[in-house]
Amino acid sequence: MPTNRLVSIDIARGMSVIIMICVHTLWMYADKDTQSSSLLGDIIHFLGKGTASFLVAMGISLMLSRRQSSRDLLFRGLTILAIGYSMNFLKFVLPIMLGVMPESFVAAYEWQTPLNFFQYQYLILTGDILQMAGFSLIILSAITQFVKNEWGYLFVALAIAVSAKPLSGWTPGIDGLDYLAKVLWGNTYQIYFPLFPWLSCILVGMFIGKRFVHSQSSVALHSDCLKMGISLTLLGGGLMAWNFDYHFGNFFHTGFGGIAYLIGVNLIALWCLNKLLKSVIFERLHGLFSYCSQHVTSLYVTQWVLICWGMAIIGYQTMNSLQTIMLMPLTISLTLLCHYGYVTARTNLSLNKHILKRAPQVE
C-alpha cells in the first residue's frame, strides 16, 4: 500500500495536535480582548477550524485500518468515552475539589464553590472532541453493518448534515435520554461537538478512504480531496452568504452550509498539505508530527489536564496577546515532555516485566 497517504494524513493529524494546544491555551489563559479583538485571537481561531480536517483524516484512517469490524469499532468507541469522561474528572472536578481552580473559572458558569452534585455531574458529562469521537465510533459500528460502499457513507453524511439544524436543541424531556439527545444534536455548550453535524466529517473521510482502497492511488485520494473541497466550499459558502445564522450560527453548532464549508476548506487544505510535504519545514518537523499523530488521544488528555491545572498558577483568562503567544511554546513543550516521560516509563515497565518473565527460575 502506498506510504504517501500515511505521510499526508499523519501530518494532518499531528499538526492538529499542536494547533489544539494553542487553541486551548488561548481559551483558558488569554483575556477576553485577546480572544475576540486581537490578531493572535483571529489567527488561532481560524486555525482551530481545522477540526474538520482531523475528523476527515480519522474517517480515512478507519478505512485503512485492519480493525474495521463492528466489534472493533464498538470497543474503541467505549474505550475513548471512558478516557474522555475520566479526563473531565482530572481537568475539572479534581482541581475544583482540591481548591486550586480559580474562582473566576467557576464563576464563568455562573456558579460558586462549593459545587453541588449536579454541577459536578454537568462538568463530568461535558462533551468534547473525545466524547464525539467515542459516540461516533459506536454509531459507526452499527452503520457499517448495513452500509458497505463509499456512496452509502456519503449519503449518510449528507443526511446527517442536512438534518442537524432542524433537530438542533430538541430533547424528549426524559432524564438520561435528554443527555443522549444533546450528544446527538444539542445546541448548548455542555456538548461542544454534537454528532449532528460533526459525524458527517468522519463519514466524508470514510468515503474518500474507501475510494482509495479501491484505487490504491494516493494521487486519486488527494484529487478527490481537491474536487470535493472546491465543490463543498462553494456550496457551503453560498448557503452561508444566503442565511448565515441558519447555516453557520456558531462554529460548534453549525447547519448544513456551515459544515459543508468547513469540510470543503479542510479538504482543500489536505490537498495543499500534500503538495508541501517535501518542503524543508515539513521534512524537519516530520518526526514531531508523526509522534503526535501516533498518540493523538493521550496527548489530547495530557494537554487539557496540564492547561487546566496550570490555571492554579496563571489564573483564568488573565493574559494579554504577548503573554499568551509566549506561553504557547511552553504549553506545547510541557505537553510533549510529560507525554514522552509517560510513554518512556510505560515502555520500560513493559520491558522489565518481559525480562522478568523470561528470566530463568531459581529452584
Side-chain angles (χ1 to χ4, degrees):
M1 186 173 291
T3 58
N4 189 46
R5 72 91 189 169
L6 291 174
V7 175
S8 60
I9 301 305
D10 285 356
I11 291 293
R13 283 160 52 92
M15 288 179 64
S16 71
V17 173
I18 302 300
I19 291 171
M20 75 181 176
I21 297 174
C22 295
V23 171
H24 296 158
T25 300
L26 180 82
W27 285 356
M28 309 311 283
Y29 294 141
D31 58 34
K32 293 295 185 182
D33 287 340
T34 299
Q35 293 196 38
S36 60
S37 306
S38 71
L39 178 61
L40 175 64
D42 291 341
I43 291 172
I44 298 301
H45 282 133
F46 174 78
L47 293 175
K49 290 179 171 58
T51 301
S53 177
F54 169 76
L55 295 175
V56 169
M58 175 182 170
I60 295 173
S61 298
L62 285 176
M63 291 293 94
L64 303 173
S65 172
R66 294 180 179 179
R67 298 181 298 169
Q68 294 185 24
S69 71
S70 295
R71 183 178 179 179
D72 288 333
L73 293 175
L74 178 61
F75 177 77
R76 289 169 64 186
L78 291 172
T79 301
I80 290 175
L81 284 182
I83 293 171
Y85 289 119
S86 298
M87 179 189 71
N88 285 347
F89 175 82
L90 291 174
K91 74 173 186 174
F92 289 143
V93 173
L94 189 57
I96 292 175
M97 292 178 68
L98 294 177
V100 299
M101 184 71 84
E103 283 291 331
S104 55
F105 175 81
V106 177
Y109 287 88
E110 299 183 351
W111 299 340
Q112 59 183 13
T113 54
L115 302 188
N116 59 43
F117 170 80
F118 297 102
Q119 290 167 331
Y120 279 126
Q121 182 185 65
Y122 181 95
L123 293 173
I124 287 286
L125 295 179
T126 296
D128 206 336
I129 194 74
L130 287 186
Q131 284 77 8
M132 196 280 292
F135 280 112
S136 293
L137 289 171
I138 292 171
I139 290 179
L140 288 172
S141 71
I143 290 176
T144 53
Q145 288 285 311
F146 306 99
V147 180
K148 301 298 182 181
N149 64 74
E150 63 267 32
W151 295 104
Y153 295 134
L154 192 60
F155 175 80
V156 178
L158 177 64
I160 289 173
V162 169
S163 59
K165 205 65 174 182
L167 291 170
S168 181
W170 179 83
T171 58
I174 302 172
D175 289 344
L177 291 180
D178 280 354
Y179 179 74
L180 182 59
K182 291 177 183 179
V183 168
L184 289 172
W185 43 65
N187 60 359
T188 71
Y189 284 102
Q190 186 182 21
I191 305 297
Y192 283 88
F193 294 96
L195 271 65
F196 288 58
W198 290 99
L199 177 54
S200 59
C201 300
I202 301 175
L203 286 160
V204 167
M206 293 172 71
F207 167 79
I208 294 172
K210 192 72 170 180
R211 285 173 60 84
F212 171 75
V213 170
H214 295 324
S215 69
Q216 293 293 297
S217 169
S218 61
V219 173
L221 182 148
H222 294 101
S223 177
D224 282 343
C225 288
L226 179 61
K227 289 184 288 187
M228 282 195 70
I230 293 173
S231 300
L232 290 174
T233 300
L234 292 175
L235 174 61
L239 290 172
M240 289 193 300
W242 174 53
N243 189 338
F244 184 84
D245 288 339
Y246 180 85
H247 283 282
F248 197 88
N250 67 71
F251 170 72
F252 295 104
H253 310 98
T254 73
F256 172 67
I259 200 67
Y261 174 80
L262 290 170
I263 294 173
V265 168
N266 282 281
L267 285 175
I268 294 172
L270 282 173
W271 179 85
C272 293
L273 175 63
N274 182 61
K275 293 296 182 182
L276 296 172
L277 286 180
K278 294 184 179 179
S279 64
V280 174
I281 185 170
F282 282 109
E283 287 184 350
R284 292 183 176 179
L285 295 176
H286 180 262
L288 170 63
F289 292 144
S290 294
Y291 179 86
C292 291
S293 178
Q294 293 169 21
H295 304 283
V296 168
T297 302
S298 51
L299 279 168
Y300 190 84
V301 173
T302 302
Q303 57 89 34
W304 254 135
V305 173
L306 285 174
I307 288 173
C308 286
W309 280 81
M311 288 191 289
I313 301 171
I314 296 171
Y316 174 62
Q317 296 184 348
T318 60
M319 309 190 81
N320 60 33
S321 293
L322 180 59
Q323 291 170 326
T324 304
I325 200 169
M326 291 175 65
L327 187 60
M328 286 177 180
L330 178 60
T331 54
I332 293 170
S333 299
L334 283 175
T335 298
L336 293 171
L337 284 172
C338 289
H339 185 271
Y340 183 74
Y342 160 74
V343 171
T344 302
R346 189 178 64 177
T347 302
N348 289 338
L349 181 61
S350 298
L351 181 61
N352 290 337
K353 288 182 177 179
H354 180 71
I355 292 173
L356 288 174
K357 285 182 178 180
R358 293 178 62 88
Q361 299 297 315
V362 179
E363 295 292 339

